[in-house]
Structures are given as structure tokens and as C-alpha cells.
Amino acid sequence: MKKMPRQSVATSRSIAAGLTAALMLCACGPQAAPPPAPQAATAGIANPASWPKSASHGLKNAETEAFVGELMAKMSLEEKVGQMIQGDISSVRPEDLRKYPLGSILAGGNSPPLGAPDRAPAGPWIETARAYRTISLEEREGHVPIPVMFGIDAVHGNNNVIGAVIYPHNIALGAANDPALMRRIGAATAAETAAVGIDWAFGPTLAVPQNDGWGRAYEGYSENPDLVRSYASEMVLGLQGEAGAQLPLQSGHVASSPKHFLGDGGTHAGMDQGDNRSSEADLIRIHAAGYPAAIEAGAMTVMASFSSWQGVKMHGNRSLLTDVLKGRMGFDGFVVGDWNGHGQIPGCSNESCAATFNAGVDMAMAPDSWKGLYENTLAQARSGEIPMARIDDAVRRILRVKYRLGLFDQARPWEGKAGVIGAPEHRALAREVVRKSLVLLKNNGGVLPIKASAKVLVAGSGADDVGQQSGGWSLSWQGTGNQRADFPNAQTIFEGLREALQSSGGLAELSVDGKFKQRPDVAIVVYGETPYAELVGDIQTLEFQPGEKQDLALLKKLKAQGIPVVSVFLSGRPLWVNPELNASDAFVAAWLPGTEGGGIADVLVAGADGKPRHDFHGKLSFSWPRTAAQLELNKGQANYDPLFPLGYGLTYASTTTVPMLAEVSGVSAATTNAGNYYRNGRSLPPWQLALRHDAKTTLATGNSADSDGGALSLRATDANGIQEGGRRLRWSGSSEASVAVVSNAAEKSVNLERQANADMVLQLQYRVDSAPEGPVSLAMDCGAGCRGAVDVTSIFNAPPAGQWRTVKFRLDCFRKAGAKLANVVEPFVLSTAAAFELSIAEVRLVADPAGAVCPGQ
């Protein structure tokens, strides 16, 4: 890692030094640690006595327990086991419930309502909910009518339904620093969820992200556990209503599910679904901060985390799920698993896992494995592998929640209620949230606010794109593939600016590439991260656009023309943007604001009197990095040295001037990902997948791409249990074409000699969908006239087709075939002229040569 020039470091530090007054405005001050709790005697096993005590409110009373007890006395073992399984509507049909009496269904991020296209309005969702509910409540022999519970990821509004209001993501809500606002957002989200027949929102997320490279960082409110604690109860109360209230569902509320219990925000190296290696004291102090408050607010369910603690998978950690959560914390609701999370427990599979139920999961989320899991769980109950007492406890908890929520009351006045989806008052609330969440990082020369009569150029990829401003979990899991028509009630950032300016005699000209017809008084450039969600969003450097910086080039072009430049930066985390800050007169961290882009204009554009219509309110709830290497940058840690500290945020009254910043990132993107090319549906910077035909290259930056002439196509496919985690390649056989890993870094080549000498291998995870009808080669390119290719036809012709497999190639194979490994430009080039269909899920270097092959040598 390169060190920054000492003078630049000292200059940059002056920014933080001069912001004491700004920090005092934020309630998220120093994180004082309580006395440390005793460390767990055995790795991954908690000591309940060290944990805070709490108790559920409003879930248990004599009436409820009597109703549940009477119902359970009528249920067969088959029906009890069914209550403990949740399947996804993409694989469960309503009629399946007659044989498999599942307790719950969910709609995953990419699961549309029955018979509907990928994106649907309220009507098909209501019909889908009623179809499953009707079957579950049928009067038939051997069946106790129990309503199925329908859950969904409504994580920033009911983000699954066309026309619903999408609020800013949680990272933005943290910047608003307004707990009371959370209850209002929760209530509005619940209303738009209940209105389409859905009973249960999988939220709030109470993770406390400690590594900003984590792809779910934007789902956390803050790195500061105190702020997360202050939000937890408010969001639960907003979603569910007051603890103990009668029939929440009938008044437009839904069940909540604080998640992910526990420690998902603190995994080693920020790896999604990884291992949290914290001490028990830090697990309590940081990662459990929000749960006692959520439980006391009446949270009906809690979702278990994919992650591990000290090597023990949370889905199988009895000490935390049962002894701590249900015991010490007094949680009376039920614990639901995450998407096939039980299958990650050693000794388990997606279809069989007694261990997860014995550990304390009450309802397993088995989206596509529900049938096998039901049958195996039933057998394990009959054999005693899962004790009857554990089954009865799980079912009692599930039925308790269903009763308290109001599922047994067939009157559902909120379902299908007119005027709820996209209600004006919900849109107004979302716009207010956008205003309050904006963080002003720089305003040199007072370029903001913009005069209402000004001529404004609005440029950048995010200026007129609701999908980009909304981010992941917006109509699709990753937030990709959306069109403007999918957001009928939305306003883009440009549309909001145009409305504000035109109302006072100003002018807004849209030009994504920055070319203008009339010279503007000021340019607002809207750019940032493109949508992503879990797994796909994991990164190893905080540098924005490592390599070719297209947005920076636009900023510099406008700046060179003497036009004042305002950056509106869209991101799900703080990123190293020193070059972009230097090229901007003003810089606004807008996070992922959702569907009400007009909230940005409310703050940036002055009123007709020249005064701000709204001041900046937001303060950083995550520390902003000084270098791209500061993935773990949290207030209170040793050597805390941010560019902008936790709680920073200017207002129009601020006089702070941000000096020129050092533009040495502290990491080399090519070095950071020298051996990580493609994983989990995402090319890792600076690498990209590219399709090549007749010397013409097409970059595959999204879920689909086609080479010039159509000889090779690429489409998204599921892999490793991850939606869109792979890419399916189809060679037509018309002529030779290649898929390659290419770099967009300034330095195009990497030196793989060290890796070859260390016996590292190129690992490919693949699935043959249709065997090749001719020769296939795999190569490493090292510049003009330099290539090492090996014949891999036999590998892809080997049975069985249709199954995911992994093959490892020794790097030395390519060296022996002619590649100069000291100067590798393209580390993966797969070519054929034959018809061939292949899916890939991973291309990377690994330090595990066992079983590696060297075809043809």
C-alpha cells in the first residue's frame, strides 16, 4: 500500500479538525464500550449471563395461549411439521398446500406473483395471496384450517410492487439521524405491504456494518451501534403498531422480522455470509445492539443470519438462538431462517437439517427445497432426532404470532384498499426522508444553493434513472433490469430539478454525456454505483470506478470549461472519491434515495427569494475513507483516520472549505483483484467479462450481452443457490467467438509469475448445458502475438452435463503453452467455433493445487 504524501495528509486532516461544531449536531457520538463480558469458553458458544436481558411485549397472554393450545391439540404431526417450513411462490403452487401444509410462503426478490410478469402491480399480488390463503383455510378431512403466512423483503418500502413508494435505503436513513422518522416510514411501508395481501415484512435490518466493502452495507443504518439501537424499536413499532395491539393486520400493519441474528455486519474481510470473529463482548456491544429494543417493542419474528460466529453457523448455533435470544432476551416470537441458510450447516443439506430446528430455528426458509425438507423433517420428528418438545415449541411460537397478527380473522379491510399504493402522503414522506438524508461534504465558494432562475445542466448516468437512484432490492433482487415505466409514481432527480427550476423561471437541460445546447450557469452531475445486493455487492477496494473513471472525466470536462460543478453521488456506502471531490465545487452524498428524486431539488435549489427552501440536515452515519484501503473504518477503533468522520455534514451556514485532496488511492485495483475475476454474478474491478467476435469486443456489464454478429450470447442464470449468480454462454456455431476476462485498469497487465511459482491455479466453476460440437480452447493472453492456449474440449465433453462442477488449471500449463506470465493481459479466454452452451459461476485464482489438471501436457 502506497503512503500519501505527508503534506497532503496533514492538509486533509485539517478538514476533520475543523468540524467540532458539526459533530456536536449528531447524536451518534463516541461509542463508549461497557465493561467487557467474559469471553466464550468455547469458540462459537455464548454465555447467556453476559447478555442484556429483555422481554417480548404483547405476544403472550392467556387468551392467545389457550387458543394456540386448543388448535395444537387437533393437529397431526404432519401439520405441525408443515408449519415449520416456508417455500417460495416460484416453486410452491397453491394446490401443493393440500399435501404439504406449509406454514408460510415467501416471494423472493425475483419471484413474481402467480401468472404475472417479472414486475407486477398490486392486483396480481392480491390474487396470489388469496390463492394460497384459500387453500390453507379449506375445510377438508385431516386438515386443521390454519392461514398461511406470506412474507416478503419490503426493505425500503414495499419495493416489490409496481407503483409502490420506494424509500431511501437504510444507510440514508441513518444519515437522517431521526428515530421518530423511522416509525413513520415503517407505518407507511406496512400499509403498502398489507394492501397487497402480504402479512410479513422481512425487516428491519439491524446489522452494524464494520466493513464498507460488504455488499449489504447499505442495509445497515450505521457503523454506530447506538444509532442502530435508537432506530430498532421505532421501525418495529411502525411496521407492527403498538405492542399488544389487537389485530394489527386489520389496521394496515404487518409482522416485522429484525435481521440478521447475529453479527452479519462484522464478518471477516466483509465477506457476505462469512465468519464474524469478534469476541463475545464485541458481539454484544456492537452487533446485538438493536435486538433488545426490537424485542421489547413486540417484534413478532427474528431472522437468523447466514453468517457464522467464531466458525459456528448461526443457523445451527443453539447457544445464541435458544439460550440467548429466546432465553436471556425473552423473545416469545419465532425464529425464521434465511434462504436455504440451514443447508450451510455442516452435515446438513437444503433438503435435510434436523440441526437447525434443534438449534432454535422455528421456521426454515426452504424456497426450492421445501418438499424434501418437509419429508425429511417429518421422518426426523418420527424418529425422535428432533424431539417432540422442540416441534411443539416451534409450532406454538408460529401459531402465537399468526393469532396475534390477526391472520385468523378473515376480515381484511386493508387488502386491496384503494389509494394506498403510492399514496400522496407516502410520496410526501419519502421526499421528506430524501431531504433529511442528504449529506453535504463540500460546498466551496457557496455554489449551493442554486438560484431558482439559473440555467442548469443536469448530467451523468444517474440523472434520469429511477433504477440507479433506488439501488438493489427495487422490483428485483439486485435492482437490475428496471425501466422507467416500472416506476409510474416516481420522479427522477432530473425531473425534480426541472420542476423546481421551471416554477421560478429557471431552466434544466438534461444531457447524460454533458454536452449542452445553452451554456449553463452550473452543472449538476448525478453518478455513482450501479444497483447491487448481497454477494454481488462485495468489493475489496473502496475506490470508485477503479481504472477508467468515466464520471471523473465528465466532471473534469465541465470544470475545464469554467462551469461550476455540483456532484450528486449515488452510493450504498462511503467510497474513496478524492479525485471526484477535487473536480467538484460542491459534493452531495445522496446515497440511494429511492423514487422521490424531487427531494434533492428541494435542498439544492433556492426559492424565488434566493434563500434555501430546505437546509442540509444529514450527517454521516458511516465514516468516509481517506484512502481506498480503509474498508474497516469505524469510530472508536485504533488509528481512526477518516477523511470525513462519523457525524460530519455541512449546512448552508457552514464556512468550511475542503482543500485539494491527495489522489493516491492507497491500493492498486489490479493488485487487489489480481486473482479474482468473476464471482457470484459480478466481475470484480478492474476486471470485466467481454465477448469477442471478428476482433470486435462487447463488454458484458449487465445480465445480458451479445457479441457482434450474434455468434456468442450471455445471459444471467442462478448458481450456487444465488439468484443471478452465474452467466450462461451460448456459442451459436456460426463462427469462432470468445469470452474473456479483460481489465479496464490503466495498467492492463498483471504479473502472475509469483502465483505460478506458488502453485496457484485458475479455478473455473462451470455447468455444461449443451456439450461442445467441436474443439474448445482456454488461453491466457499476454499481449500482441503472445498467448498460451490449452485444449479443454475433453473437460467439457465429460459427463455429467447439467451439473455444476469445478475444474482447476495449473498456471504453469499456460506458461508451457507460450504465455508470458509476467505480462498477462487477459487471464481467461475461452474460445470455440462450435455450437456450445456453458454456464460459469466463478473464475479466480486459488492456492489449492489439489486435483489441478494440465490438458494436453
Side-chain angles (χ1 to χ4, degrees), residues 42-67:
T42 303
I45 298 180
N47 174 16
S50 301
W51 291 70
K53 293 186 72 173
S54 58
S56 286
H57 289 171
L59 287 178
K60 287 177 72 173
N61 60 32
E63 175 196 341
T64 301
E65 299 310 294
F67 175 87

PDB file of all heavy atoms in Angstrom, residues 42-67:
ATOM      1  N   THR A  42     -15.791 -21.698  24.845  1.00  0.00           N
ATOM      2  CA  THR A  42     -15.601 -22.497  23.635  1.00  0.00           C
ATOM      3  C   THR A  42     -16.004 -21.654  22.445  1.00  0.00           C
ATOM      4  O   THR A  42     -17.016 -20.951  22.485  1.00  0.00           O
ATOM      5  CB  THR A  42     -16.480 -23.767  23.683  1.00  0.00           C
ATOM      6  OG1 THR A  42     -16.159 -24.501  24.867  1.00  0.00           O
ATOM      7  CG2 THR A  42     -16.235 -24.631  22.450  1.00  0.00           C
ATOM      8  N   ALA A  43     -15.197 -21.694  21.378  1.00  0.00           N
ATOM      9  CA  ALA A  43     -15.460 -20.863  20.209  1.00  0.00           C
ATOM     10  C   ALA A  43     -16.877 -21.070  19.713  1.00  0.00           C
ATOM     11  O   ALA A  43     -17.333 -22.200  19.531  1.00  0.00           O
ATOM     12  CB  ALA A  43     -14.460 -21.185  19.104  1.00  0.00           C
ATOM     13  N   GLY A  44     -17.597 -19.971  19.490  1.00  0.00           N
ATOM     14  CA  GLY A  44     -18.932 -20.033  18.921  1.00  0.00           C
ATOM     15  C   GLY A  44     -20.019 -20.379  19.906  1.00  0.00           C
ATOM     16  O   GLY A  44     -21.185 -20.514  19.517  1.00  0.00           O
ATOM     17  N   ILE A  45     -19.696 -20.519  21.187  1.00  0.00           N
ATOM     18  CA  ILE A  45     -20.713 -20.828  22.200  1.00  0.00           C
ATOM     19  C   ILE A  45     -20.807 -19.643  23.153  1.00  0.00           C
ATOM     20  O   ILE A  45     -19.835 -19.253  23.787  1.00  0.00           O
ATOM     21  CB  ILE A  45     -20.378 -22.111  22.968  1.00  0.00           C
ATOM     22  CG1 ILE A  45     -20.344 -23.306  22.009  1.00  0.00           C
ATOM     23  CG2 ILE A  45     -21.402 -22.340  24.080  1.00  0.00           C
ATOM     24  CD1 ILE A  45     -20.011 -24.625  22.678  1.00  0.00           C
ATOM     25  N   ALA A  46     -21.995 -19.058  23.238  1.00  0.00           N
ATOM     26  CA  ALA A  46     -22.198 -17.854  24.035  1.00  0.00           C
ATOM     27  C   ALA A  46     -22.490 -18.190  25.490  1.00  0.00           C
ATOM     28  O   ALA A  46     -22.992 -19.269  25.816  1.00  0.00           O
ATOM     29  CB  ALA A  46     -23.351 -17.050  23.448  1.00  0.00           C
ATOM     30  N   ASN A  47     -22.194 -17.225  26.349  1.00  0.00           N
ATOM     31  CA  ASN A  47     -22.524 -17.309  27.772  1.00  0.00           C
ATOM     32  C   ASN A  47     -23.731 -16.409  28.015  1.00  0.00           C
ATOM     33  O   ASN A  47     -23.599 -15.185  28.084  1.00  0.00           O
ATOM     34  CB  ASN A  47     -21.330 -16.858  28.609  1.00  0.00           C
ATOM     35  CG  ASN A  47     -21.662 -16.787  30.094  1.00  0.00           C
ATOM     36  OD1 ASN A  47     -22.666 -17.342  30.541  1.00  0.00           O
ATOM     37  ND2 ASN A  47     -20.830 -16.088  30.849  1.00  0.00           N
ATOM     38  N   PRO A  48     -24.924 -16.953  28.125  1.00  0.00           N
ATOM     39  CA  PRO A  48     -26.135 -16.120  28.220  1.00  0.00           C
ATOM     40  C   PRO A  48     -26.088 -15.091  29.333  1.00  0.00           C
ATOM     41  O   PRO A  48     -26.648 -13.997  29.199  1.00  0.00           O
ATOM     42  CB  PRO A  48     -27.248 -17.148  28.439  1.00  0.00           C
ATOM     43  CG  PRO A  48     -26.717 -18.410  27.842  1.00  0.00           C
ATOM     44  CD  PRO A  48     -25.244 -18.400  28.120  1.00  0.00           C
ATOM     45  N   ALA A  49     -25.422 -15.399  30.431  1.00  0.00           N
ATOM     46  CA  ALA A  49     -25.401 -14.481  31.565  1.00  0.00           C
ATOM     47  C   ALA A  49     -24.711 -13.166  31.232  1.00  0.00           C
ATOM     48  O   ALA A  49     -24.911 -12.162  31.925  1.00  0.00           O
ATOM     49  CB  ALA A  49     -24.701 -15.144  32.755  1.00  0.00           C
ATOM     50  N   SER A  50     -23.904 -13.158  30.161  1.00  0.00           N
ATOM     51  CA  SER A  50     -23.192 -11.943  29.774  1.00  0.00           C
ATOM     52  C   SER A  50     -24.047 -11.008  28.931  1.00  0.00           C
ATOM     53  O   SER A  50     -23.649  -9.874  28.669  1.00  0.00           O
ATOM     54  CB  SER A  50     -21.937 -12.315  28.966  1.00  0.00           C
ATOM     55  OG  SER A  50     -21.075 -13.144  29.715  1.00  0.00           O
ATOM     56  N   TRP A  51     -25.211 -11.459  28.501  1.00  0.00           N
ATOM     57  CA  TRP A  51     -26.002 -10.716  27.529  1.00  0.00           C
ATOM     58  C   TRP A  51     -27.063  -9.862  28.217  1.00  0.00           C
ATOM     59  O   TRP A  51     -27.504 -10.172  29.328  1.00  0.00           O
ATOM     60  CB  TRP A  51     -26.662 -11.683  26.541  1.00  0.00           C
ATOM     61  CG  TRP A  51     -25.642 -12.327  25.644  1.00  0.00           C
ATOM     62  CD1 TRP A  51     -24.698 -13.248  26.003  1.00  0.00           C
ATOM     63  CD2 TRP A  51     -25.447 -12.056  24.263  1.00  0.00           C
ATOM     64  NE1 TRP A  51     -23.912 -13.570  24.923  1.00  0.00           N
ATOM     65  CE2 TRP A  51     -24.355 -12.865  23.830  1.00  0.00           C
ATOM     66  CE3 TRP A  51     -26.075 -11.233  23.343  1.00  0.00           C
ATOM     67  CZ2 TRP A  51     -23.886 -12.851  22.524  1.00  0.00           C
ATOM     68  CZ3 TRP A  51     -25.620 -11.226  22.028  1.00  0.00           C
ATOM     69  CH2 TRP A  51     -24.534 -12.022  21.630  1.00  0.00           C
ATOM     70  N   PRO A  52     -27.516  -8.795  27.565  1.00  0.00           N
ATOM     71  CA  PRO A  52     -28.562  -7.960  28.162  1.00  0.00           C
ATOM     72  C   PRO A  52     -29.889  -8.705  28.266  1.00  0.00           C
ATOM     73  O   PRO A  52     -30.230  -9.497  27.379  1.00  0.00           O
ATOM     74  CB  PRO A  52     -28.672  -6.778  27.188  1.00  0.00           C
ATOM     75  CG  PRO A  52     -28.136  -7.288  25.893  1.00  0.00           C
ATOM     76  CD  PRO A  52     -27.063  -8.280  26.252  1.00  0.00           C
ATOM     77  N   LYS A  53     -30.624  -8.421  29.313  1.00  0.00           N
ATOM     78  CA  LYS A  53     -31.941  -9.029  29.488  1.00  0.00           C
ATOM     79  C   LYS A  53     -32.999  -8.140  28.853  1.00  0.00           C
ATOM     80  O   LYS A  53     -32.911  -6.920  28.871  1.00  0.00           O
ATOM     81  CB  LYS A  53     -32.253  -9.216  30.978  1.00  0.00           C
ATOM     82  CG  LYS A  53     -31.370 -10.225  31.685  1.00  0.00           C
ATOM     83  CD  LYS A  53     -31.839 -10.471  33.111  1.00  0.00           C
ATOM     84  CE  LYS A  53     -33.124 -11.272  33.136  1.00  0.00           C
ATOM     85  NZ  LYS A  53     -33.513 -11.676  34.513  1.00  0.00           N
ATOM     86  N   SER A  54     -34.000  -8.786  28.271  1.00  0.00           N
ATOM     87  CA  SER A  54     -35.149  -8.061  27.733  1.00  0.00           C
ATOM     88  C   SER A  54     -36.326  -9.023  27.758  1.00  0.00           C
ATOM     89  O   SER A  54     -36.205 -10.154  28.227  1.00  0.00           O
ATOM     90  CB  SER A  54     -34.873  -7.547  26.314  1.00  0.00           C
ATOM     91  OG  SER A  54     -34.556  -8.612  25.448  1.00  0.00           O
ATOM     92  N   ALA A  55     -37.458  -8.581  27.237  1.00  0.00           N
ATOM     93  CA  ALA A  55     -38.643  -9.437  27.220  1.00  0.00           C
ATOM     94  C   ALA A  55     -39.596  -8.967  26.142  1.00  0.00           C
ATOM     95  O   ALA A  55     -39.765  -7.766  25.926  1.00  0.00           O
ATOM     96  CB  ALA A  55     -39.339  -9.423  28.577  1.00  0.00           C
ATOM     97  N   SER A  56     -40.209  -9.936  25.456  1.00  0.00           N
ATOM     98  CA  SER A  56     -41.217  -9.600  24.454  1.00  0.00           C
ATOM     99  C   SER A  56     -42.427  -8.965  25.109  1.00  0.00           C
ATOM    100  O   SER A  56     -42.839  -9.362  26.204  1.00  0.00           O
ATOM    101  CB  SER A  56     -41.658 -10.859  23.703  1.00  0.00           C
ATOM    102  OG  SER A  56     -40.674 -11.299  22.806  1.00  0.00           O
ATOM    103  N   HIS A  57     -42.999  -7.996  24.425  1.00  0.00           N
ATOM    104  CA  HIS A  57     -44.237  -7.358  24.895  1.00  0.00           C
ATOM    105  C   HIS A  57     -45.349  -7.624  23.892  1.00  0.00           C
ATOM    106  O   HIS A  57     -45.137  -7.527  22.679  1.00  0.00           O
ATOM    107  CB  HIS A  57     -44.036  -5.850  25.056  1.00  0.00           C
ATOM    108  CG  HIS A  57     -43.155  -5.484  26.201  1.00  0.00           C
ATOM    109  ND1 HIS A  57     -42.690  -4.206  26.415  1.00  0.00           N
ATOM    110  CD2 HIS A  57     -42.646  -6.233  27.203  1.00  0.00           C
ATOM    111  CE1 HIS A  57     -41.946  -4.187  27.498  1.00  0.00           C
ATOM    112  NE2 HIS A  57     -41.894  -5.402  27.993  1.00  0.00           N
ATOM    113  N   GLY A  58     -46.507  -7.994  24.400  1.00  0.00           N
ATOM    114  CA  GLY A  58     -47.690  -8.067  23.566  1.00  0.00           C
ATOM    115  C   GLY A  58     -47.899  -9.350  22.790  1.00  0.00           C
ATOM    116  O   GLY A  58     -48.823  -9.422  21.979  1.00  0.00           O
ATOM    117  N   LEU A  59     -47.051 -10.369  22.996  1.00  0.00           N
ATOM    118  CA  LEU A  59     -47.218 -11.607  22.234  1.00  0.00           C
ATOM    119  C   LEU A  59     -47.928 -12.700  23.024  1.00  0.00           C
ATOM    120  O   LEU A  59     -48.683 -13.488  22.443  1.00  0.00           O
ATOM    121  CB  LEU A  59     -45.857 -12.115  21.747  1.00  0.00           C
ATOM    122  CG  LEU A  59     -45.218 -11.324  20.608  1.00  0.00           C
ATOM    123  CD1 LEU A  59     -43.856 -11.908  20.250  1.00  0.00           C
ATOM    124  CD2 LEU A  59     -46.119 -11.319  19.384  1.00  0.00           C
ATOM    125  N   LYS A  60     -47.688 -12.771  24.309  1.00  0.00           N
ATOM    126  CA  LYS A  60     -48.270 -13.845  25.116  1.00  0.00           C
ATOM    127  C   LYS A  60     -49.312 -13.293  26.080  1.00  0.00           C
ATOM    128  O   LYS A  60     -49.075 -12.308  26.757  1.00  0.00           O
ATOM    129  CB  LYS A  60     -47.175 -14.568  25.913  1.00  0.00           C
ATOM    130  CG  LYS A  60     -46.271 -15.450  25.093  1.00  0.00           C
ATOM    131  CD  LYS A  60     -45.165 -16.072  25.937  1.00  0.00           C
ATOM    132  CE  LYS A  60     -45.674 -17.148  26.858  1.00  0.00           C
ATOM    133  NZ  LYS A  60     -44.558 -17.852  27.557  1.00  0.00           N
ATOM    134  N   ASN A  61     -50.467 -13.951  26.091  1.00  0.00           N
ATOM    135  CA  ASN A  61     -51.458 -13.714  27.143  1.00  0.00           C
ATOM    136  C   ASN A  61     -52.316 -14.972  27.244  1.00  0.00           C
ATOM    137  O   ASN A  61     -52.207 -15.886  26.417  1.00  0.00           O
ATOM    138  CB  ASN A  61     -52.292 -12.450  26.884  1.00  0.00           C
ATOM    139  CG  ASN A  61     -53.056 -12.516  25.572  1.00  0.00           C
ATOM    140  OD1 ASN A  61     -53.469 -13.592  25.130  1.00  0.00           O
ATOM    141  ND2 ASN A  61     -53.268 -11.363  24.950  1.00  0.00           N
ATOM    142  N   ALA A  62     -53.145 -15.028  28.229  1.00  0.00           N
ATOM    143  CA  ALA A  62     -53.914 -16.256  28.492  1.00  0.00           C
ATOM    144  C   ALA A  62     -54.822 -16.613  27.319  1.00  0.00           C
ATOM    145  O   ALA A  62     -54.940 -17.786  26.942  1.00  0.00           O
ATOM    146  CB  ALA A  62     -54.737 -16.077  29.772  1.00  0.00           C
ATOM    147  N   GLU A  63     -55.449 -15.613  26.745  1.00  0.00           N
ATOM    148  CA  GLU A  63     -56.357 -15.875  25.630  1.00  0.00           C
ATOM    149  C   GLU A  63     -55.608 -16.490  24.445  1.00  0.00           C
ATOM    150  O   GLU A  63     -56.047 -17.471  23.845  1.00  0.00           O
ATOM    151  CB  GLU A  63     -57.021 -14.571  25.197  1.00  0.00           C
ATOM    152  CG  GLU A  63     -57.907 -14.706  23.960  1.00  0.00           C
ATOM    153  CD  GLU A  63     -58.233 -13.365  23.326  1.00  0.00           C
ATOM    154  OE1 GLU A  63     -58.091 -12.332  23.998  1.00  0.00           O
ATOM    155  OE2 GLU A  63     -58.625 -13.357  22.146  1.00  0.00           O
ATOM    156  N   THR A  64     -54.471 -15.890  24.123  1.00  0.00           N
ATOM    157  CA  THR A  64     -53.686 -16.376  22.984  1.00  0.00           C
ATOM    158  C   THR A  64     -53.209 -17.787  23.236  1.00  0.00           C
ATOM    159  O   THR A  64     -53.324 -18.672  22.361  1.00  0.00           O
ATOM    160  CB  THR A  64     -52.476 -15.448  22.742  1.00  0.00           C
ATOM    161  OG1 THR A  64     -52.943 -14.127  22.497  1.00  0.00           O
ATOM    162  CG2 THR A  64     -51.647 -15.939  21.576  1.00  0.00           C
ATOM    163  N   GLU A  65     -52.658 -18.042  24.416  1.00  0.00           N
ATOM    164  CA  GLU A  65     -52.094 -19.365  24.708  1.00  0.00           C
ATOM    165  C   GLU A  65     -53.183 -20.428  24.738  1.00  0.00           C
ATOM    166  O   GLU A  65     -52.961 -21.576  24.324  1.00  0.00           O
ATOM    167  CB  GLU A  65     -51.320 -19.337  26.020  1.00  0.00           C
ATOM    168  CG  GLU A  65     -50.137 -18.366  26.010  1.00  0.00           C
ATOM    169  CD  GLU A  65     -49.226 -18.546  24.802  1.00  0.00           C
ATOM    170  OE1 GLU A  65     -48.588 -19.607  24.706  1.00  0.00           O
ATOM    171  OE2 GLU A  65     -49.152 -17.634  23.944  1.00  0.00           O
ATOM    172  N   ALA A  66     -54.366 -20.077  25.196  1.00  0.00           N
ATOM    173  CA  ALA A  66     -55.470 -21.043  25.200  1.00  0.00           C
ATOM    174  C   ALA A  66     -55.883 -21.371  23.773  1.00  0.00           C
ATOM    175  O   ALA A  66     -56.122 -22.553  23.433  1.00  0.00           O
ATOM    176  CB  ALA A  66     -56.652 -20.469  25.980  1.00  0.00           C
ATOM    177  N   PHE A  67     -55.980 -20.364  22.918  1.00  0.00           N
ATOM    178  CA  PHE A  67     -56.348 -20.597  21.522  1.00  0.00           C
ATOM    179  C   PHE A  67     -55.321 -21.491  20.836  1.00  0.00           C
ATOM    180  O   PHE A  67     -55.671 -22.455  20.151  1.00  0.00           O
ATOM    181  CB  PHE A  67     -56.444 -19.254  20.787  1.00  0.00           C
ATOM    182  CG  PHE A  67     -56.706 -19.392  19.312  1.00  0.00           C
ATOM    183  CD1 PHE A  67     -58.012 -19.500  18.830  1.00  0.00           C
ATOM    184  CD2 PHE A  67     -55.667 -19.437  18.389  1.00  0.00           C
ATOM    185  CE1 PHE A  67     -58.264 -19.647  17.473  1.00  0.00           C
ATOM    186  CE2 PHE A  67     -55.899 -19.582  17.035  1.00  0.00           C
ATOM    187  CZ  PHE A  67     -57.207 -19.678  16.567  1.00  0.00           C
TER     188      PHE A  67
END
